[in-house]
Amino acid sequence: PVLAVRFNRSGAYCLTCGKDRTFRLWNPYKGLLVKTYTGHAHEVRDVACAADNSRLATGGGDKQVFLWDVASGQKIRRFRGHESAVNAVQFAGEGDSVVVSAGYDRAVKMWDVRSNSIDPIQSVVAWKDSVTSLVVTEHRITAGSVDGTVRTLDVRAGRMLSDTLGHPVLCVRQSHDGQCLLAGMLGSRLALIDRASGEVLAEYKGHSNEVAKVDSCLTYGDAHVVSGSEDGQVYFWELIESTVEAKVDAHPGAVVCGLDYHPKKEMMVTSSTDGTAKLWVPSGGRAFE
């Protein structure tokens, strides 16, 4: 299975995370494998790319958070502190100087990549169950959890805001205008939430998400909501009306667990339990694994 797929910040490359303990850098437009990175002892669950494309951060089932040099493929740093599997990683801070991670141990941890310390600079345990997904903006860290909440830590103000959604949250993404959060939940629930008020603005139905972690996101212009599904389809909904506008039979007979939308163009990448990742352009898909 390919557990996650992510574009880099410019959309020129993408990265895949494998159950096979590797993660890989691709040029998806040519179907070209650029590099395979090894070093995790268990599956790799998430990967993040720094804005300058020189470094990567990963987290996995081995409780480890690693910082990597893209060009050499070498580990720069191993961060310790999670007591269980790491579900999500993101870069944060000025010059991507901080790595933020979220784990099965109910904790969100922050690591200073400029220091030589392997211990976290901050650890937040505000959730009652596994923390599954992260959204990081300038001074806010938002995380979804199996406990049914989405909580936002305002690092500058030292405040925590909490929205209770009542279903296990497995994916959180932010709209490009920063005003809304998209929360994907078990029970095949997908909701758009107003960041300021916590009000549920819309719900999207039709896809299947009962047991697995399935990614969802917004298109780069925020006009549509997109989600993977346990039935092998990718669903597109109109943002405001919540109507299903399109379905793509992306990975027949498998779970579409990974999904990301290009930051500047109408393109997406998907990954699946069938062991493939695919690039989708408006005229159709192309497998690159």
Side-chain angles (χ1 to χ4, degrees):
V2 185
L3 303 176
V5 60
R6 305 272 181 260
F7 279 111
N8 73 331
R9 304 268 184 102
S10 68
Y13 294 92
C14 73
L15 294 138
T16 55
C17 302
K19 190 86 185 238
D20 65 356
R21 304 179 298 201
T22 72
F23 66 102
R24 302 177 191 201
L25 176 67
W26 302 85
N27 177 333
Y29 311 103
K30 295 181 177 173
L32 193 69
L33 174 62
V34 180
K35 203 178 225 11
T36 299
Y37 300 80
T38 59
H40 276 281
H42 292 274
E43 79 280 1
V44 185
R45 296 193 176 190
D46 198 14
V47 59
C49 187
D52 65 3
N53 294 319
S54 69
R55 294 163 300 153
L56 300 167
T58 57
D62 55 6
K63 313 178 193 175
Q64 305 295 330
V65 176
F66 290 129
L67 185 69
W68 306 79
D69 177 70
V70 170
S72 69
Q74 298 299 306
K75 280 183 218 159
I76 304 169
R77 198 74 47 81
R78 175 180 74 86
F79 299 118
R80 70 166 183 214
H82 277 290
E83 294 168 16
S84 197
V86 179
N87 295 319
V89 289
Q90 290 282 336
F91 281 97
E94 198 176 325
D96 289 331
S97 57
V98 174
V99 168
V100 184
S101 60
Y104 200 78
D105 57 3
R106 316 193 314 273
V108 167
K109 295 180 185 287
M110 286 153 254
W111 325 81
D112 184 349
V113 302
R114 294 168 304 189
S115 86
N116 289 320
S117 171
I118 61 173
D119 297 313
I121 49 174
Q122 193 172 353
S123 185
V124 180
V125 186
W127 296 265
K128 296 182 174 67
D129 208 325
S130 176
V131 188
T132 53
S133 185
L134 286 170
V135 171
V136 175
T137 54
E138 284 177 8
H139 57 277
R140 295 187 297 197
I141 295 168
T142 300
S145 168
V146 174
D147 71 7
T149 66
V150 173
R151 296 177 197 264
T152 297
L153 173 66
D154 187 320
V155 179
R156 257 186 228 155
R159 270 203 322 263
M160 178 83 78
L161 295 172
S162 182
D163 296 308
T164 301
L165 300 176
H167 290 259
V169 180
L170 297 190
C171 181
V172 179
R173 298 281 177 98
Q174 181 174 267
S175 60
H176 294 80
D177 66 8
Q179 303 296 307
C180 300
L181 292 169
L182 182 69
M185 296 164 270
L186 292 183
S188 303
R189 299 279 300 271
L190 187 59
L192 188 72
I193 301 155
D194 183 280
R195 239 201 193 287
S197 69
E199 181 190 351
V200 175
L201 302 173
E203 291 204 45
Y204 308 93
K205 296 191 167 77
H207 69 305
S208 169
N209 187 13
E210 298 295 337
V211 291
K213 181 171 162 58
V214 165
D215 276 341
S216 50
C217 65
L218 291 112
T219 57
Y220 83 100
D222 285 344
H224 293 89
V225 167
V226 193
S227 179
S229 178
E230 290 168 12
D231 61 8
Q233 308 267 350
V234 173
Y235 287 74
F236 285 77
W237 293 268
E238 205 277 331
L239 180 77
I240 308 298
E241 300 297 324
S242 318
T243 50
V244 175
E245 295 234 326
K247 281 197 295 187
V248 178
D249 196 11
H251 298 270
V255 176
V256 183
C257 44
L259 179 120
D260 200 18
Y261 214 84
H262 193 284
K264 299 177 182 128
K265 297 177 184 167
E266 292 291 356
M267 290 181 184
M268 69 174 178
V269 281
T270 59
S271 72
S272 169
T273 52
D274 65 10
T276 69
K278 295 179 183 180
L279 170 73
W280 300 87
V281 293
S283 57
R286 166 174 183 180
F288 56 91
E289 188 168 286

